């Protein structure tokens, strides 16, 4: 019997896939859940129990938080990546690394097939298939939900026919959680004018009194939180635990999907948004104008390509090299105040702070030029404008 590795989440779609792969295709199913921060230990145990009840030959849980951070989150922070100036790629980026891990596992056990439960209407089908085709061109991809164009009701009916009678009541909102944020989809996000109600978000407002926190960065990485130093992954989790209680980082992202249609998705990403904005403030103090300008462009491209599943496009490594090099002086502390539904960036301390220069204080005094120097500089700087208007006389 041939082996198939199924990217498994425990939901309706992947549960259907297990039964279909066994009953209709006569395959030996090995399910794997790749955890990028969205599952607790107890939740993982529940998913594993359900997988075996569905009939899988084996089930594996893989935690790739550190790898996901080192290969993606780190660069999203370096690039201050917010797609459409809004979305920190909370879920879209992690799909790429889940797909990579599924391929590794398939090769490890000698599987001839890989399966996932994506439909034909979203972005994830593209991200999964592109990674599978790139890393394992000889492994067959099976997508029952997409290929059979199944409705939710058809999936439930098939499972019941095959002895599976769980409660598949559809939740009002679709929630996908990871370390870099949680996406929230529901009836409101299918419209162009409605916002998500308060109760749609998993993290509810619990704290009212403001809290002052301190983020420590070294070469652009989040190495400490409130004077306690730990791995960036653990610092992100600590910040999330506090900032989420203020219901910070909520928004609705509107953008172009990979398959060409417009889409809206709500999200909450307290730690991601605070970290990116704090990092960006530090960069404003320690990087040159042109470093920041080019970083803005490359960070935007990096986010777009990662969102679209183009992780293995060679230019991604080129951009990562630039982003890494740009962080040499991005070291210091950022002071932030957390408040209900928002936060404020209060300032920074860094030995690389370019405001500490001895050349002068903006709007106050200068020590690097004379009044005549300033007049000459302004006269030369304005020359192109004078030429244009003398020739065209528009005013």
């Amino acid at each position: 019997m041939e082996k198939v590795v199924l990217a498994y989440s425990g939901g309706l779609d992947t549960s259907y896939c297990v039964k279909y792969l066994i009953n209709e295709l006569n395959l030996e199913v090995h399910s794997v859940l790749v955890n990028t921060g969205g599952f607790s230990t107890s939740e993982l145990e529940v998913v594993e129990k359900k997988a075996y009840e569905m009939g899988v030959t084996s089930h594996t849980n893989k935690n790739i938080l550190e790898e996901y951070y080192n290969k993606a989150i780190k660069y999203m922070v370096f690039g201050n990546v917010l797609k459409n100036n809004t979305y920190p790629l909370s879920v879209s980026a992690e799909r790429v690394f889940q797909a990579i891990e599924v391929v590794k596992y398939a090769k490890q056990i000698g599987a001839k097939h890989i399966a996932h439960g994506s439909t034909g209407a979203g972005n994830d089908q593209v991200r999964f298939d592109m990674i599978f085709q790139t890393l394992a061109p000889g492994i067959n991809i099976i997508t029952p939900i997409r290929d059979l164009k199944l409705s939710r009701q058809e999936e439930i009916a098939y499972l019941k026919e095959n002895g599976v009678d769980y409660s598949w009541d559809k939740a009002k909102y679709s929630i996908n959680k990871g370390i870099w944020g949680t996406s929230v989809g529901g009836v409101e996000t299918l419209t162009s004018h409605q916002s998500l109600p308060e109760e749609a978000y998993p993290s509810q407002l619990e704290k009212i009194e403001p809290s002052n926190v301190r983020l420590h960065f070294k070469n652009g990485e989040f190495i400490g939180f409130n004077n306690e130093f730990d791995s960036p992954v653990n610092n992100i989790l600590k910040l999330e635990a506090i900032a989420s209680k203020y219901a910070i980082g909520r928004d609705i992202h509107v953008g172009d999907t990979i398959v060409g249609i417009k889409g809206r998705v709500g999200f909450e990403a307290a730690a991601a948004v605070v970290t990116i904005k704090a990092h960006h403030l530090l960069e404003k103090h320690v990087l040159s104008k042109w470093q920041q300008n080019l970083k803005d462009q490359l960070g935007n491209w990096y986010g777009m390509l990662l969102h679209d599943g183009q992780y293995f496009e060679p230019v991604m490594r080129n951009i990562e090299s630039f982003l890494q090099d740009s962080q040499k002086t991005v070291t210091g502390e950022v002071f932030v105040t957390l408040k209900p539904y928002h936060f404020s960036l209060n300032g920074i301390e860094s030995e690389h702070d370019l405001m500490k220069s001895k050349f002068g204080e903006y709007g106050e005094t200068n020590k690097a030029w004379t009044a005549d120097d300033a007049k000459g500089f302004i006269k030369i700087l304005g020359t192109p404008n004078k030429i244009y208007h003398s020739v065209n006389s528009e005013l």
Side-chain angles (χ1 to χ4, degrees):
M1 186 178 290
E2 294 181 352
K3 298 177 182 177
V4 57
V5 169
L6 171 65
Y8 187 72
S9 66
L12 173 61
D13 292 337
T14 54
S15 296
Y16 174 91
C17 287
V18 174
K19 288 298 184 183
Y20 180 85
L21 294 169
I22 294 172
N23 296 341
E24 311 304 325
L25 301 184
N26 195 33
L27 294 173
E28 181 179 292
V29 179
H30 298 265
S31 59
V32 56
L33 185 151
V34 184
N35 185 17
T36 50
F39 293 88
S40 66
T41 300
S42 60
E43 287 170 336
L44 289 173
E45 292 172 352
V46 170
V47 171
E48 181 173 1
K49 180 175 181 291
K50 180 180 288 187
Y52 282 113
E53 290 173 351
M54 289 292 154
V56 303
T57 299
S58 72
H59 177 82
T60 301
N61 293 320
K62 290 186 174 291
N63 186 318
I64 61 164
L65 276 180
E66 291 292 339
E67 182 175 0
Y68 178 38
Y69 169 80
N70 285 313
K71 293 186 176 180
I73 293 176
K74 177 172 72 174
Y75 297 107
M76 289 193 284
V77 175
F78 291 173
N80 304 310
V81 173
L82 292 171
K83 186 168 174 59
N84 287 5
N85 296 313
T86 305
Y87 182 48
L89 301 188
S90 299
V91 174
S92 49
E94 68 187 29
R95 294 294 189 247
V96 169
F97 296 90
Q98 290 168 340
I100 292 171
E101 200 63 31
V102 169
V103 170
K104 288 180 182 178
Y105 187 62
K107 290 181 176 180
Q108 177 186 328
I109 68 171
K112 293 186 177 181
H113 312 274
I114 294 176
H116 61 89
S118 298
T119 70
N123 288 328
D124 286 345
Q125 60 173 330
V126 181
R127 297 174 182 132
F128 278 117
D129 280 19
M130 283 181 62
I131 296 299
F132 295 160
Q133 292 171 9
T134 301
L135 296 184
I139 298 181
N140 182 44
I141 302 171
I142 304 173
T143 54
I145 311 301
R146 176 175 62 185
D147 295 346
L148 300 173
K149 299 180 180 179
L150 297 172
S151 69
R152 182 179 181 84
Q153 291 70 29
E154 288 172 322
E155 292 177 58
I156 293 172
Y158 181 84
L159 286 170
K160 287 183 176 180
E161 289 172 7
N162 286 274
V164 180
D165 197 16
Y166 289 125
S167 173
W168 298 109
D169 294 336
K170 186 174 181 179
K172 188 175 180 180
Y173 295 98
S174 173
I175 309 292
N176 290 284
K177 183 179 181 181
I179 188 176
W180 207 230
T182 301
S183 69
V184 184
V187 63
E188 292 87 359
T189 59
L190 299 177
T191 72
S192 295
H193 68 287
Q194 292 181 298
S195 62
L196 286 167
E198 178 82 14
E199 62 270 16
Y201 294 96
S203 297
Q204 294 293 297
L205 180 65
E206 297 180 31
K207 297 191 70 173
I208 303 297
E209 291 300 317
S211 294
N212 293 317
V213 297
R214 179 179 300 194
L215 281 67
H216 306 264
F217 291 92
K218 182 177 181 180
N219 302 133
E221 295 199 61
F222 184 12
I223 63 161
F225 181 57
N226 286 341
N227 296 317
E228 293 183 1
F229 296 87
D230 204 336
S231 70
V233 165
N234 287 337
N235 291 327
I236 291 167
L237 294 173
K238 292 174 185 177
L239 174 57
E240 178 70 25
I242 294 176
S244 63
K245 289 182 170 58
Y246 287 95
I248 288 171
R250 295 178 176 182
D251 209 334
I252 293 182
H253 165 58
V254 182
D256 296 283
T257 65
I258 308 172
V259 293
I261 58 178
K262 292 284 185 182
R264 288 178 94 214
V265 64
F267 66 90
E268 60 173 36
V273 174
V274 173
T275 301
I276 288 171
K277 291 297 186 180
H279 173 266
H280 192 203
L281 176 62
L282 181 58
E283 284 192 329
K284 291 178 184 178
H285 282 262
V286 303
L287 296 185
S288 73
K289 173 173 71 175
W290 298 116
Q291 281 180 302
Q292 293 178 69
N293 185 283
L294 186 55
K295 274 189 77 275
D296 286 347
Q297 298 174 56
L298 290 180
N300 186 43
W301 272 102
Y302 190 83
M304 288 192 296
L305 288 165
L306 188 56
H307 172 273
D308 286 5
Q310 297 283 354
Y311 178 73
F312 285 110
E313 160 59 47
V315 76
M316 296 293 276
R317 307 293 83 76
N318 303 141
I319 298 174
E320 287 168 358
S321 295
F322 171 84
L323 292 175
Q324 183 79 57
D325 187 72
S326 73
Q327 300 300 294
K328 289 178 178 177
T329 61
V330 187
T331 296
E333 302 175 5
V334 184
F335 308 102
V336 182
T337 300
L338 306 178
K339 309 170 186 178
Y341 302 109
H342 70 294
F343 61 95
S344 58
L345 301 172
N346 302 322
I348 69 104
E349 281 187 1
S350 172
E351 61 179 326
H352 303 289
D353 187 356
L354 298 179
M355 285 190 68
K356 291 181 177 180
S357 76
K358 299 177 181 179
F359 287 83
E361 295 176 345
Y362 175 70
E364 299 294 333
T365 60
N366 78 78
K367 300 176 183 178
W369 58 85
T370 65
D372 287 339
D373 291 336
K375 294 174 185 176
F377 167 74
I378 296 166
K379 186 173 184 179
I380 293 172
L381 183 66
T383 297
N385 289 336
K386 296 173 188 175
I387 293 172
Y388 181 89
H389 286 283
S390 70
V391 171
N392 293 287
S393 301
E394 291 183 348
L395 297 177

mmCIF file of all heavy atoms in Angstrom, residues 322-350:
data_model
loop_
_atom_site.group_PDB
_atom_site.id
_atom_site.type_symbol
_atom_site.label_atom_id
_atom_site.label_comp_id
_atom_site.label_asym_id
_atom_site.label_seq_id
_atom_site.Cartn_x
_atom_site.Cartn_y
_atom_site.Cartn_z
ATOM 1 N N PHE A 322 20.509 41.861 2.090
ATOM 2 C CA PHE A 322 20.489 43.308 2.304
ATOM 3 C C PHE A 322 19.882 43.661 3.657
ATOM 4 O O PHE A 322 20.433 44.477 4.403
ATOM 5 C CB PHE A 322 19.691 44.004 1.191
ATOM 6 C CG PHE A 322 19.461 45.466 1.472
ATOM 7 C CD1 PHE A 322 20.422 46.407 1.153
ATOM 8 C CD2 PHE A 322 18.295 45.901 2.091
ATOM 9 C CE1 PHE A 322 20.227 47.760 1.437
ATOM 10 C CE2 PHE A 322 18.086 47.238 2.376
ATOM 11 C CZ PHE A 322 19.065 48.172 2.042
ATOM 12 N N LEU A 323 18.733 43.049 3.964
ATOM 13 C CA LEU A 323 18.068 43.356 5.228
ATOM 14 C C LEU A 323 18.963 43.024 6.413
ATOM 15 O O LEU A 323 19.050 43.790 7.379
ATOM 16 C CB LEU A 323 16.746 42.588 5.322
ATOM 17 C CG LEU A 323 15.646 43.011 4.335
ATOM 18 C CD1 LEU A 323 14.437 42.095 4.463
ATOM 19 C CD2 LEU A 323 15.237 44.458 4.553
ATOM 20 N N GLN A 324 19.635 41.869 6.358
ATOM 21 C CA GLN A 324 20.539 41.471 7.443
ATOM 22 C C GLN A 324 21.657 42.499 7.604
ATOM 23 O O GLN A 324 21.979 42.919 8.712
ATOM 24 C CB GLN A 324 21.133 40.095 7.145
ATOM 25 C CG GLN A 324 22.035 39.537 8.243
ATOM 26 C CD GLN A 324 21.254 38.947 9.396
ATOM 27 O OE1 GLN A 324 20.441 38.051 9.206
ATOM 28 N NE2 GLN A 324 21.485 39.454 10.599
ATOM 29 N N ASP A 325 22.260 42.898 6.499
ATOM 30 C CA ASP A 325 23.363 43.857 6.549
ATOM 31 C C ASP A 325 22.919 45.217 7.077
ATOM 32 O O ASP A 325 23.685 45.912 7.754
ATOM 33 C CB ASP A 325 23.967 44.010 5.150
ATOM 34 C CG ASP A 325 25.224 44.853 5.155
ATOM 35 O OD1 ASP A 325 26.270 44.367 5.638
ATOM 36 O OD2 ASP A 325 25.165 46.016 4.700
ATOM 37 N N SER A 326 21.662 45.576 6.800
ATOM 38 C CA SER A 326 21.154 46.891 7.218
ATOM 39 C C SER A 326 20.974 47.008 8.726
ATOM 40 O O SER A 326 20.766 48.108 9.245
ATOM 41 C CB SER A 326 19.820 47.174 6.527
ATOM 42 O OG SER A 326 18.771 46.388 7.086
ATOM 43 N N GLN A 327 21.046 45.878 9.441
ATOM 44 C CA GLN A 327 20.724 45.873 10.870
ATOM 45 C C GLN A 327 21.955 46.033 11.772
ATOM 46 O O GLN A 327 21.854 45.919 12.993
ATOM 47 C CB GLN A 327 19.994 44.583 11.231
ATOM 48 C CG GLN A 327 18.688 44.389 10.481
ATOM 49 C CD GLN A 327 17.684 45.486 10.733
ATOM 50 O OE1 GLN A 327 17.186 45.656 11.842
ATOM 51 N NE2 GLN A 327 17.383 46.275 9.706
ATOM 52 N N LYS A 328 23.116 46.309 11.208
ATOM 53 C CA LYS A 328 24.358 46.364 11.979
ATOM 54 C C LYS A 328 24.301 47.362 13.138
ATOM 55 O O LYS A 328 24.896 47.130 14.189
ATOM 56 C CB LYS A 328 25.531 46.706 11.063
ATOM 57 C CG LYS A 328 25.910 45.591 10.111
ATOM 58 C CD LYS A 328 27.047 46.016 9.195
ATOM 59 C CE LYS A 328 27.459 44.883 8.268
ATOM 60 N NZ LYS A 328 28.530 45.292 7.320
ATOM 61 N N THR A 329 23.608 48.460 12.950
ATOM 62 C CA THR A 329 23.532 49.474 14.011
ATOM 63 C C THR A 329 22.163 49.546 14.674
ATOM 64 O O THR A 329 21.915 50.442 15.491
ATOM 65 C CB THR A 329 23.877 50.866 13.449
ATOM 66 O OG1 THR A 329 22.930 51.213 12.423
ATOM 67 C CG2 THR A 329 25.284 50.881 12.864
ATOM 68 N N VAL A 330 21.260 48.608 14.338
ATOM 69 C CA VAL A 330 19.898 48.653 14.897
ATOM 70 C C VAL A 330 19.912 47.940 16.249
ATOM 71 O O VAL A 330 19.373 46.843 16.428
ATOM 72 C CB VAL A 330 18.873 48.038 13.926
ATOM 73 C CG1 VAL A 330 17.456 48.258 14.455
ATOM 74 C CG2 VAL A 330 19.004 48.663 12.540
ATOM 75 N N THR A 331 20.552 48.585 17.197
ATOM 76 C CA THR A 331 20.691 48.060 18.554
ATOM 77 C C THR A 331 20.287 49.138 19.542
ATOM 78 O O THR A 331 20.729 50.289 19.426
ATOM 79 C CB THR A 331 22.151 47.626 18.820
ATOM 80 O OG1 THR A 331 22.481 46.548 17.937
ATOM 81 C CG2 THR A 331 22.337 47.179 20.259
ATOM 82 N N GLY A 332 19.449 48.769 20.501
ATOM 83 C CA GLY A 332 19.015 49.735 21.504
ATOM 84 C C GLY A 332 17.717 49.306 22.154
ATOM 85 O O GLY A 332 17.264 48.169 21.980
ATOM 86 N N GLU A 333 17.121 50.227 22.894
ATOM 87 C CA GLU A 333 15.879 49.959 23.609
ATOM 88 C C GLU A 333 14.785 50.890 23.112
ATOM 89 O O GLU A 333 15.045 52.048 22.790
ATOM 90 C CB GLU A 333 16.078 50.161 25.113
ATOM 91 C CG GLU A 333 17.163 49.283 25.710
ATOM 92 C CD GLU A 333 17.424 49.590 27.171
ATOM 93 O OE1 GLU A 333 16.696 50.431 27.743
ATOM 94 O OE2 GLU A 333 18.350 49.000 27.736
ATOM 95 N N VAL A 334 13.575 50.362 23.055
ATOM 96 C CA VAL A 334 12.421 51.162 22.637
ATOM 97 C C VAL A 334 11.400 51.137 23.758
ATOM 98 O O VAL A 334 11.086 50.077 24.309
ATOM 99 C CB VAL A 334 11.794 50.616 21.340
ATOM 100 C CG1 VAL A 334 10.652 51.523 20.890
ATOM 101 C CG2 VAL A 334 12.846 50.488 20.237
ATOM 102 N N PHE A 335 10.879 52.313 24.108
ATOM 103 C CA PHE A 335 9.945 52.455 25.220
ATOM 104 C C PHE A 335 8.527 52.625 24.672
ATOM 105 O O PHE A 335 8.268 53.522 23.866
ATOM 106 C CB PHE A 335 10.341 53.644 26.089
ATOM 107 C CG PHE A 335 11.787 53.601 26.513
ATOM 108 C CD1 PHE A 335 12.735 54.396 25.890
ATOM 109 C CD2 PHE A 335 12.199 52.730 27.520
ATOM 110 C CE1 PHE A 335 14.069 54.340 26.265
ATOM 111 C CE2 PHE A 335 13.523 52.666 27.906
ATOM 112 C CZ PHE A 335 14.472 53.468 27.274
ATOM 113 N N VAL A 336 7.634 51.754 25.109
ATOM 114 C CA VAL A 336 6.278 51.686 24.566
ATOM 115 C C VAL A 336 5.267 51.706 25.705
ATOM 116 O O VAL A 336 5.497 51.096 26.754
ATOM 117 C CB VAL A 336 6.088 50.390 23.741
ATOM 118 C CG1 VAL A 336 4.690 50.331 23.131
ATOM 119 C CG2 VAL A 336 7.158 50.263 22.657
ATOM 120 N N THR A 337 4.165 52.388 25.500
ATOM 121 C CA THR A 337 3.057 52.361 26.456
ATOM 122 C C THR A 337 1.881 51.626 25.818
ATOM 123 O O THR A 337 1.403 52.005 24.740
ATOM 124 C CB THR A 337 2.611 53.772 26.862
ATOM 125 O OG1 THR A 337 3.710 54.460 27.476
ATOM 126 C CG2 THR A 337 1.460 53.710 27.869
ATOM 127 N N LEU A 338 1.439 50.572 26.485
ATOM 128 C CA LEU A 338 0.298 49.792 26.015
ATOM 129 C C LEU A 338 -0.979 50.355 26.627
ATOM 130 O O LEU A 338 -1.037 50.603 27.829
ATOM 131 C CB LEU A 338 0.460 48.325 26.415
ATOM 132 C CG LEU A 338 1.767 47.639 25.994
ATOM 133 C CD1 LEU A 338 1.797 46.205 26.513
ATOM 134 C CD2 LEU A 338 1.942 47.662 24.484
ATOM 135 N N LYS A 339 -1.997 50.544 25.796
ATOM 136 C CA LYS A 339 -3.266 51.103 26.230
ATOM 137 C C LYS A 339 -4.403 50.308 25.587
ATOM 138 O O LYS A 339 -4.169 49.557 24.647
ATOM 139 C CB LYS A 339 -3.362 52.579 25.802
ATOM 140 C CG LYS A 339 -2.169 53.429 26.198
ATOM 141 C CD LYS A 339 -2.221 54.789 25.528
ATOM 142 C CE LYS A 339 -0.960 55.596 25.811
ATOM 143 N NZ LYS A 339 -0.970 56.905 25.118
ATOM 144 N N PRO A 340 -5.628 50.463 26.063
ATOM 145 C CA PRO A 340 -6.736 49.752 25.435
ATOM 146 C C PRO A 340 -6.842 50.061 23.938
ATOM 147 O O PRO A 340 -6.945 51.225 23.549
ATOM 148 C CB PRO A 340 -7.959 50.259 26.196
ATOM 149 C CG PRO A 340 -7.429 50.611 27.546
ATOM 150 C CD PRO A 340 -6.066 51.187 27.280
ATOM 151 N N TYR A 341 -6.728 49.042 23.112
ATOM 152 C CA TYR A 341 -6.895 49.091 21.669
ATOM 153 C C TYR A 341 -5.759 49.784 20.905
ATOM 154 O O TYR A 341 -5.789 49.823 19.674
ATOM 155 C CB TYR A 341 -8.228 49.749 21.281
ATOM 156 C CG TYR A 341 -9.427 49.060 21.873
ATOM 157 C CD1 TYR A 341 -10.157 49.663 22.895
ATOM 158 C CD2 TYR A 341 -9.822 47.802 21.436
ATOM 159 C CE1 TYR A 341 -11.255 49.027 23.457
ATOM 160 C CE2 TYR A 341 -10.920 47.158 21.993
ATOM 161 C CZ TYR A 341 -11.632 47.775 23.000
ATOM 162 O OH TYR A 341 -12.722 47.145 23.557
ATOM 163 N N HIS A 342 -4.789 50.344 21.599
ATOM 164 C CA HIS A 342 -3.693 50.986 20.879
ATOM 165 C C HIS A 342 -2.462 51.091 21.772
ATOM 166 O O HIS A 342 -2.484 50.700 22.944
ATOM 167 C CB HIS A 342 -4.103 52.364 20.366
ATOM 168 C CG HIS A 342 -4.278 53.409 21.424
ATOM 169 N ND1 HIS A 342 -5.272 53.343 22.381
ATOM 170 C CD2 HIS A 342 -3.580 54.543 21.693
ATOM 171 C CE1 HIS A 342 -5.187 54.392 23.173
ATOM 172 N NE2 HIS A 342 -4.159 55.135 22.782
ATOM 173 N N PHE A 343 -1.397 51.630 21.216
ATOM 174 C CA PHE A 343 -0.168 51.809 21.982
ATOM 175 C C PHE A 343 0.548 53.052 21.463
ATOM 176 O O PHE A 343 0.274 53.540 20.362
ATOM 177 C CB PHE A 343 0.742 50.577 21.858
ATOM 178 C CG PHE A 343 1.177 50.274 20.444
ATOM 179 C CD1 PHE A 343 2.386 50.729 19.954
ATOM 180 C CD2 PHE A 343 0.365 49.526 19.599
ATOM 181 C CE1 PHE A 343 2.787 50.456 18.644
ATOM 182 C CE2 PHE A 343 0.757 49.240 18.298
ATOM 183 C CZ PHE A 343 1.966 49.704 17.820
ATOM 184 N N SER A 344 1.470 53.568 22.269
ATOM 185 C CA SER A 344 2.255 54.726 21.840
ATOM 186 C C SER A 344 3.733 54.405 21.964
ATOM 187 O O SER A 344 4.170 53.738 22.909
ATOM 188 C CB SER A 344 1.907 55.965 22.679
ATOM 189 O OG SER A 344 2.132 55.724 24.054
ATOM 190 N N LEU A 345 4.491 54.870 20.987
ATOM 191 C CA LEU A 345 5.942 54.714 21.001
ATOM 192 C C LEU A 345 6.530 55.974 21.615
ATOM 193 O O LEU A 345 6.398 57.066 21.059
ATOM 194 C CB LEU A 345 6.456 54.525 19.572
ATOM 195 C CG LEU A 345 5.887 53.327 18.797
ATOM 196 C CD1 LEU A 345 6.331 53.383 17.346
ATOM 197 C CD2 LEU A 345 6.325 52.017 19.442
ATOM 198 N N ASN A 346 7.172 55.822 22.755
ATOM 199 C CA ASN A 346 7.610 56.992 23.510
ATOM 200 C C ASN A 346 9.016 57.464 23.160
ATOM 201 O O ASN A 346 9.320 58.651 23.279
ATOM 202 C CB ASN A 346 7.540 56.691 25.013
ATOM 203 C CG ASN A 346 6.138 56.294 25.438
ATOM 204 O OD1 ASN A 346 5.150 56.843 24.942
ATOM 205 N ND2 ASN A 346 6.025 55.319 26.321
ATOM 206 N N GLY A 347 9.884 56.565 22.758
ATOM 207 C CA GLY A 347 11.240 56.966 22.422
ATOM 208 C C GLY A 347 12.188 55.788 22.460
ATOM 209 O O GLY A 347 11.787 54.635 22.670
ATOM 210 N N ILE A 348 13.478 56.101 22.247
ATOM 211 C CA ILE A 348 14.493 55.044 22.195
ATOM 212 C C ILE A 348 15.756 55.485 22.932
ATOM 213 O O ILE A 348 15.959 56.665 23.196
ATOM 214 C CB ILE A 348 14.857 54.682 20.739
ATOM 215 C CG1 ILE A 348 15.619 55.836 20.042
ATOM 216 C CG2 ILE A 348 13.609 54.360 19.935
ATOM 217 C CD1 ILE A 348 17.083 55.627 19.882
ATOM 218 N N GLU A 349 16.582 54.504 23.232
ATOM 219 C CA GLU A 349 17.949 54.761 23.698
ATOM 220 C C GLU A 349 18.873 53.852 22.912
ATOM 221 O O GLU A 349 18.624 52.648 22.809
ATOM 222 C CB GLU A 349 18.098 54.470 25.192
ATOM 223 C CG GLU A 349 17.556 55.558 26.094
ATOM 224 C CD GLU A 349 17.876 55.316 27.555
ATOM 225 O OE1 GLU A 349 18.547 54.295 27.863
ATOM 226 O OE2 GLU A 349 17.467 56.137 28.392
ATOM 227 N N SER A 350 19.910 54.445 22.307
ATOM 228 C CA SER A 350 20.853 53.654 21.538
ATOM 229 C C SER A 350 22.169 54.398 21.412
ATOM 230 O O SER A 350 22.181 55.629 21.222
ATOM 231 C CB SER A 350 20.302 53.365 20.135
ATOM 232 O OG SER A 350 21.285 52.760 19.323
#
